Amino acid sequence: MDRALALAREAGEAGEIPVGAIVLDAEGREIGSGRNDREAGRDPTAHAEVLAIRAAARELGDRVLAGCTLVVTLEPCVMCAGAILAARVPRVVFGAWDEKAGAAGSVYDLLRDGRLPHPVPEVVAGVGAADSAALLREFFAERR
């Protein structure tokens, strides 16, 4: 989570919502990373999770991220949950809950919805939650 938090800080410093994500392979090595880049990239899909998943898929040479873990500072949204399911990520670890748009248990529980034709990943919530939430609070407080 420390690496994801560092990426989130970088995003905040760049004027992006401070969210960072990494993908770890089965041995715990980082194979992909991302931080929010929607504003600079003028890309509504450039969420940290999506960018980390894309990088990991390139690194593995496969669209399926079997045996991998996604670590992200904020609960994934619906779009990111869809990307996680499409990539077949078996484990998701996140920091702060997203009470407005979360899709891993707060507003929606898309990741664990057994009705979908995807394997249900393990979800571990609240890892580094205080630090993740503080970054977001500070970012938005400066803009209000």
Side-chain angles (χ1 to χ4, degrees):
M1 184 59 78
D2 289 338
R3 171 80 169 117
L5 283 164
L7 290 164
R9 283 186 205 91
E10 288 177 16
E13 290 166 3
E16 302 281 350
I17 295 173
V19 178
I22 60 170
V23 176
L24 305 171
D25 68 11
E27 287 76 42
R29 293 182 303 242
E30 182 180 318
I31 58 169
S33 66
R35 63 174 182 80
N36 275 4
D37 193 39
R38 296 183 318 158
E39 302 302 324
R42 291 174 175 64
D43 180 355
T45 69
H47 287 204
E49 300 96 310
V50 171
L51 298 176
I53 288 169
R54 288 176 184 165
R58 281 192 304 272
E59 177 68 20
L60 292 178
D62 196 339
R63 69 175 185 82
V64 175
L65 302 183
C68 293
T69 299
L70 173 72
V71 180
V72 60
T73 59
L74 181 65
E75 178 185 4
C77 69
V78 171
M79 177 185 69
C80 293
I84 290 163
L85 292 171
R88 308 293 194 268
V89 177
R91 186 169 194 233
V92 177
V93 177
F94 71 85
W97 290 96
D98 184 346
E99 299 296 332
K100 293 182 181 178
S106 62
V107 179
Y108 306 101
D109 201 354
L110 193 60
L111 289 180
R112 295 178 284 203
D113 189 333
R115 297 172 293 178
L116 297 172
H118 302 288
V120 176
E122 174 188 6
V123 176
V124 179
V127 177
D131 291 333
S132 298
L135 281 174
L136 291 161
R137 269 193 312 276
E138 292 165 12
F139 177 83
F140 287 112
E142 291 173 3
R143 282 153 180 77
R144 290 186 180 134

